[in-house]
Amino acid sequence: MRIDTKAYGFLEVDVRQKIEFPQGLYGFEGLSDYVLLDARQSPFYWLQSLNVKETAFVLIDPLIVRPDYNADIDPQDYEALKLTGPEDDRFLQFVVVTIPADGRGMTVNLQGPLIINKDIQEGRQCISRDNEWHVQHNIIEEMKANENRAC
């Protein structure tokens, strides 16, 4: 499948990279079709809208930022995706990264993780029921704090 991306221009991607978000993402409810791409800068990913080229999100696995992360989402969210929970082999989880114009102070939204069933290629943005998680967690500060927790 050939797509036009915000970050890389035209690319050939495998149809298995397509993810449908039937309810869209918060603030982008009208956009439901995306592809999940590896970013050229590991450990990041791109979630590129197939509807609007200019709409793309940088994602990361939240466990890279916070190894103790547990979103504690409503069980109905798992059921809607035909998942048994985070231990399900079909489960993928990402969080949205915000990168300021100056590139400093990158944050992640740990309150609204993206949950995906990779077998049915469907996802949804969920809301964490844990008050510890907010929409802006500084990536560098969180990773440094985790180093200190490990000692």
Side-chain angles (χ1 to χ4, degrees):
M1 173 169 82
R2 186 167 170 81
I3 63 167
D4 194 5
T5 69
K6 178 179 179 178
Y8 306 122
F10 285 98
L11 291 176
E12 285 290 329
V13 298
D14 191 305
V15 70
R16 293 175 292 184
Q17 292 173 262
K18 185 177 179 199
I19 307 290
E20 182 182 1
F21 288 84
Q23 298 171 320
L25 303 180
Y26 295 117
F28 298 87
E29 289 83 359
L31 304 178
S32 59
D33 295 322
Y34 292 84
V35 290
L36 183 62
L37 306 168
D38 289 328
R40 294 188 178 143
Q41 301 82 18
S42 182
F44 300 102
Y45 298 85
W46 279 98
L47 186 66
Q48 173 66 56
S49 169
L50 292 175
N51 307 103
V52 179
K53 171 189 168 180
E54 293 76 23
T55 302
F57 303 93
V58 177
L59 306 180
I60 192 169
D61 179 339
L63 297 177
I64 291 173
V65 179
R66 286 291 299 260
D68 63 337
Y69 182 71
N70 176 0
D72 186 28
I73 63 172
D74 190 310
Q76 291 179 352
D77 287 320
Y78 291 117
E79 290 172 20
L81 291 171
K82 300 174 179 62
L83 295 169
T84 58
E87 71 288 338
D88 194 304
D89 289 342
R90 301 165 297 165
F91 170 85
L92 292 176
Q93 172 178 246
F94 297 97
V95 291
V96 176
V97 177
T98 300
I99 304 171
D102 64 6
R104 298 167 46 138
M106 288 190 304
T107 62
V108 291
N109 177 355
L110 296 178
Q111 187 179 54
L114 306 182
I115 306 300
I116 298 170
N117 178 328
K118 64 183 178 181
D119 283 0
I120 63 171
Q121 296 172 260
E122 190 172 306
R124 66 190 296 144
Q125 187 168 22
C126 304
I127 298 293
S128 173
R129 299 182 300 181
D130 187 330
N131 292 333
E132 180 177 1
W133 310 126
H134 308 286
V135 296
Q136 290 188 327
H137 287 262
N138 183 288
I139 291 177
I140 301 302
E141 289 174 10
E142 291 291 346
M143 293 175 90
K144 284 182 181 176
N146 279 320
E147 287 175 6
N148 293 336
R149 284 184 197 104
C151 295

